[in-house]
Amino acid sequence: MNRVWWLVLLLASFLPVAAEARELVELQCQEQAGLPEPTETERKRGFMLFSPSPLSVVFRNAESTLGERVAGLRGAACPGEFEPVVLVLRNIREESLERVSVELAGDARRAGGGTIPRTRIRVRTLSYRDKYWFSNKMWVVRDAPLILEEDRPSVDVPSDANQPFWITIEVPEPCAAGLYRGTVVVKVGGEVRTAVPLEFTVRPFRLARGSALFAMIDRLRDDERAIRTTFDDMAAHGMNSVLLCGESWLDFDLAPVVARDGSQALRSIQVEIRWKGEGEAGSIFERNMDVYSEYYFSRRFTKPVYWIASAELRARNRPPETFADKLSAMGIDIEAVASEQDPVLLGKVADAYVEFLRLVHEHGKEAVGSRRRWAPIVFEPLDEAFSSSEKRDYLRPLIRLIYGKVKALDPEIQLACSGLEGNATAGTAWNPANLTEIRRFELLDYIAFHDGPAIPRGNPDRTRWQLFRDWKNSFQPPEKKRVFFYNIDSKAGWHPEPLRFMYGLGQWYAGADGCFEWAYGFNDDPQAVYATVPAPPDYEVEQPSPYRYPRGQVNYEAGTVDELGGPAVGFETIREGIDDYRYLATFLRLRDRAVRRGDARRAELARALWDEFRVRYLDRIGFDLCKNRGNHSLPENWTGGMVRIGPEVYSVQGDLDVPNGLSLQEYAQMREFLARGIEAIR
């Protein structure tokens, strides 16, 4: 039977609003009949069970993405690795199934001894939410499969609807290798309706950490418990760094230093930061740095912290006072100074900001016992400073000065910039063969590109990217350049594949040094501005897309507060991408070790396996997903394409599978190939 599901895009006007309001574009899932015929057992219990890939987008009424009927759940992982399997319940009754839950019947056990405790096997309910995001219009995806709720004991499943459950095995470390067996039970109304065998293989090796940076962007948080909870969650998802942004609340002053000849001419701007004393909590920035450094020196995080300091260059005119506010109190408007390009005053402002960064850097370097006070900091003075965004254009002369002055003052200070790849439609493409204003590149230690290996943005040109890689690789330590990809899918959270690909095989294949994503989470308060959806009717403010949804998430449109939160599906998938990278790094490390040791047998086997892996998978990789950032509204990103079926109505078929040369099924195949290869050459 042909199993096809349809997504319908209904373009509609919303309530009468101001002229500048954005039109709302609605995306829904509508399904044709396509389920296999239920067995008598399935009819009696009222549901069917399926096990799709974690990469599949399973809408509430999807049928073509459900995968195979479940005979048993299977998975495999290394000690210390987290591995999800997905169980989807399809209600085939004409009425709702109430209080449906999936639970472990006990521990998973290995013949001959060994246990994975049931406390290390987490079951979470996938929650469908209306998901808003902005492209050229404001979109709403109705019932997007978005959040893995962490504390929901049961859920009601409507008639003819799916309910996915994610079962994540958190393999202890250490853990004996071998096959572990357990049982998953499905309950309805508190009664067991069926049992599903769980078989899980623990592999006989540990994964290498790898050299790449894996991170999320998050705001500076006030509460130490919230900071630790956030860092714990990131570390558990494979992150080895954090990108912090927002107001620092540092206690500092700017003071004019004027000429002594009576002219009162401004000679310089003095900067003083008052650091916290013993036993004091200090500023938000200090609290975050104290906790991050604790994690860094205990090796829970292994990379420098990355501070996007843009907030200091924005005047708020309310607490906390930023660097720009302090200038304003002196009668200096940072926007006017930068826009008018008064070279003398601009230089003095740049000198003051450089001194501000230097003081932070020096404070972090101070010895505290046997180590430095803080983990190393990478400074990004202004987010996306050289992108094609008009809102940042006026600050570019100031930023150029800051980069040059920082490196002239102290080459040890690490500098970063994002958004440098330009934009094809805005005519700001960067051509590495014509290194205009190249000093802004040469002075950088970290260079971040939107989406992936695309210069300009939206144009994944292999030749141009290779030119850039050659330029990047021409620098040797300590001038070595590191390249990151970021915001692979910052508008969604329910698109699993783009994130797994770019955090894993994609960034490695492109020769990048890391990935980070906007944004972890921005709302602790149920009444916060950053909520599940933007408040209608104007849809004017684009809301960040959190990858960790807190409790008390506001839904303005429905007028409700959802009590349960949890990670977005995309956040869980990032961890899978990081693990892909680690499997790859482990294999290559063993291959290189065999060559160094002169182990001819293992070296030859590793070479043959690598050649096969390259032919099967690597030679087919492409980056066309960078053209549209995994956009769900484009035909090429759905396996069945998109067809217009009526006025302003479109349908798409199949699964969301971005154009990168790989099918969704091949990720598991690649993982298994590398695992077997690692075992063969250990």
Side-chain angles (χ1 to χ4, degrees):
M1 183 179 295
N2 181 29
R3 294 181 294 163
V4 178
W5 57 271
W6 301 87
L7 290 175
V8 175
L9 280 70
L10 176 62
L11 291 117
S13 298
F14 208 69
L15 299 175
V17 293
E20 69 274 16
R22 293 170 176 166
E23 186 177 13
L24 185 67
V25 183
E26 185 172 327
L27 182 137
Q28 302 176 354
C29 175
Q30 294 188 354
E31 190 65 82
Q32 291 183 343
L35 289 173
E37 192 68 23
T39 65
E40 187 60 30
T41 300
E42 289 168 335
R43 290 184 191 279
K44 286 182 179 180
R45 72 190 186 196
F47 57 85
M48 303 169 71
L49 295 175
F50 299 88
S51 185
S53 164
L55 293 176
S56 287
V57 175
V58 181
F59 280 91
R60 196 184 294 275
N61 56 346
E63 294 174 358
S64 63
T65 58
L66 294 179
E68 299 298 323
R69 268 189 169 106
V70 167
L73 297 170
R74 293 176 178 83
C78 298
E81 188 182 352
F82 291 23
E83 185 67 16
V85 294
V86 180
L87 180 67
V88 176
L89 180 146
R90 175 70 176 221
N91 182 2
I92 56 175
R93 288 187 171 175
E94 294 183 357
E95 65 274 359
S96 294
L97 290 172
E98 297 183 353
R99 293 169 53 209
V100 175
S101 64
V102 170
E103 303 171 13
L104 270 297
D107 300 336
R109 298 185 180 278
R110 186 183 72 131
T115 299
I116 299 178
R118 64 188 301 177
T119 54
R120 300 297 298 263
I121 305 175
R122 305 175 65 199
V123 180
R124 289 172 291 183
T125 304
L126 191 146
S127 174
Y128 293 95
R129 306 288 179 96
D130 289 348
K131 174 65 179 175
Y132 287 72
W133 70 287
F134 176 71
S135 179
N136 58 329
K137 297 177 182 291
M138 182 63 76
W139 289 73
V140 58
V141 182
R142 298 297 183 191
D143 280 341
L146 182 61
I147 303 172
L148 298 176
E149 292 183 331
E150 299 190 313
D151 301 310
R152 187 175 294 283
S154 65
V155 62
D156 296 341
V157 183
S159 173
D160 198 28
N162 299 315
Q163 180 53 61
F165 298 88
W166 279 49
I167 303 165
T168 302
I169 296 89
E170 303 175 359
V171 184
E173 194 172 15
C175 185
L179 179 63
Y180 290 74
R181 289 186 169 92
T183 302
V184 173
V185 296
V186 179
K187 294 182 178 180
V188 179
E191 297 181 357
V192 175
R193 292 289 181 88
T194 192
V196 180
L198 171 65
E199 293 186 351
F200 195 82
T201 300
V202 175
R203 294 181 168 123
F205 58 89
R206 295 181 59 197
L207 294 175
R209 282 181 177 266
S211 59
L213 176 142
F214 306 112
M216 295 288 287
I217 302 173
D218 195 36
R219 64 181 174 85
L220 290 158
R221 295 177 181 273
D222 187 14
D223 179 70
E224 182 174 333
R225 185 175 62 176
I227 297 170
R228 292 184 180 278
T229 299
T230 297
F231 289 176
D232 286 343
D233 192 33
M234 291 185 182
H237 282 79
M239 310 293 167
N240 54 21
S241 179
V242 180
L243 281 77
L244 296 172
C245 65
E247 290 77 19
S248 69
W249 290 78
L250 281 167
D251 183 9
F252 71 99
D253 283 325
L254 303 182
V257 178
V258 299
R260 297 179 179 179
D261 58 6
S263 67
Q264 297 298 303
L266 182 67
R267 293 179 54 197
S268 62
I269 300 171
Q270 182 177 326
V271 183
E272 179 186 6
I273 301 178
R274 288 176 290 276
W275 301 105
K276 69 174 185 175
E278 186 70 30
E280 296 178 346
S283 65
I284 289 177
F285 183 80
E286 290 169 281
R287 293 200 289 276
N288 279 263
M289 283 303 305
D290 286 347
V291 177
Y292 185 90
S293 299
E294 176 188 322
Y295 283 52
Y296 177 82
F297 291 116
S298 65
R299 302 295 291 170
R300 295 197 65 191
F301 292 137
T302 58
K303 301 292 183 183
V305 67
Y306 193 116
W307 182 28
I308 304 173
S310 297
E312 295 299 331
L313 296 178
R314 290 196 302 264
R316 291 171 49 87
N317 300 314
R318 65 182 188 277
E321 288 188 306
T322 64
F323 187 89
D325 286 321
K326 304 282 188 182
L327 287 175
S328 182
M330 293 172 52
I332 299 174
D333 184 315
I334 193 169
E335 181 173 347
V337 169
S339 300
E340 294 168 7
Q341 297 187 43
D342 177 339
V344 176
L345 185 54
L346 192 65
K348 291 178 171 53
V349 169
D351 286 337
Y353 193 74
V354 168
E355 177 65 5
F356 175 76
L357 297 182
R358 188 194 69 80
L359 290 173
V360 173
H361 172 73
E362 289 297 326
H363 185 71
K365 281 177 56 180
E366 287 180 1
V368 177
S370 60
R371 62 169 177 82
R372 54 184 289 156
R373 180 187 304 278
W374 284 341
I377 303 172
V378 176
F379 295 92
E380 181 167 1
L382 180 67
D383 180 39
E384 298 181 347
F386 295 97
S387 73
S388 56
S389 172
E390 292 182 1
K391 66 184 178 182
R392 299 176 179 86
D393 284 353
Y394 71 88
L395 282 173
R396 287 180 187 167
L398 175 62
I399 295 300
R400 290 191 186 100
L401 277 177
I402 287 171
Y403 282 129
K405 288 175 178 288
V406 165
K407 285 301 185 183
L409 181 67
D410 187 349
E412 186 183 83
I413 297 176
Q414 299 286 287
L415 293 175
C417 191
S418 56
L420 285 156
E421 73 284 350
N423 188 308
T425 58
T428 57
W430 176 60
N431 181 356
N434 179 20
L435 301 179
T436 305
E437 297 179 342
I438 190 58
R439 279 187 59 78
R440 73 173 186 248
F441 286 85
E442 291 180 339
L443 295 172
L444 294 174
D445 304 285
Y446 295 82
I447 305 168
F449 286 161
H450 274 108
D451 313 331
I455 304 175
R457 189 179 187 187
N459 180 18
D461 184 302
R462 285 179 181 268
T463 301
R464 182 171 287 181
W465 182 253
Q466 188 58 53
L467 283 171
F468 172 76
R469 283 184 63 177
D470 292 344
W471 173 84
K472 172 217 169 191
N473 293 334
S474 68
F475 291 87
Q476 301 300 318
E479 290 82 20
K480 181 180 178 181
K481 310 301 177 190
R482 294 172 175 84
V483 172
F484 300 152
F485 298 146
Y486 74 109
N487 289 10
I488 310 305
D489 192 32
S490 60
K491 307 296 184 184
W494 58 278
H495 295 173
E497 189 194 7
L499 294 161
R500 178 169 179 174
F501 173 70
M502 204 60 80
Y503 268 82
L505 194 64
Q507 68 146 313
W508 178 87
Y509 186 72
D513 302 290
C515 261
F516 57 88
E517 185 72 13
W518 172 272
Y520 176 80
F522 278 76
N523 38 344
D524 296 323
D525 182 350
Q527 304 303 321
V529 172
Y530 300 114
T532 305
V533 302
D538 59 16
Y539 299 101
E540 272 304 298
V541 179
E542 182 184 352
Q543 309 294 347
S545 293
Y547 277 74
R548 161 64 69 170
Y549 286 78
R551 287 177 171 273
Q553 189 74 212
V554 175
N555 186 320
Y556 284 112
E557 190 172 45
T560 62
V561 176
D562 300 311
E563 294 300 328
L564 297 178
V569 168
F571 188 48
E572 296 295 287
T573 314
I574 286 174
R575 180 168 54 203
E576 291 304 294
I578 294 171
D579 285 343
D580 288 342
Y581 189 100
R582 296 178 67 196
Y583 273 91
L584 192 63
T586 304
F587 179 89
L588 293 175
R589 186 170 297 181
L590 290 170
R591 182 199 65 178
D592 295 344
R593 186 180 72 177
V595 173
R596 287 196 311 271
R597 292 180 175 180
D599 188 334
R601 185 188 67 81
R602 283 189 172 87
E604 178 57 27
L605 177 58
R607 184 198 62 76
L609 288 169
W610 184 248
D611 287 346
E612 184 179 352
F613 186 77
R614 188 183 67 248
V615 171
R616 279 196 191 185
Y617 305 112
L618 295 182
D619 290 348
R620 294 166 38 220
I621 286 179
F623 291 94
D624 281 355
L625 79 162
C626 297
K627 292 180 180 178
N628 49 57
R629 308 177 67 196
N631 193 326
H632 60 252
S633 64
L634 297 179
E636 57 267 34
N637 286 353
W638 296 93
T639 55
M642 179 184 291
V643 180
R644 183 169 185 154
I645 60 174
E648 298 184 331
V649 178
Y650 301 83
S651 67
V652 294
Q653 303 178 24
D655 211 337
L656 183 61
D657 187 358
V658 296
N660 61 357
L662 301 171
S663 70
L664 299 182
Q665 293 71 33
E666 286 179 307
Y667 289 84
Q669 295 169 16
M670 287 189 293
R671 177 83 65 87
E672 184 64 23
F673 184 100
L674 289 170
R676 290 179 183 273
I678 290 166
E679 291 190 42
I681 64 175
R682 285 174 65 230

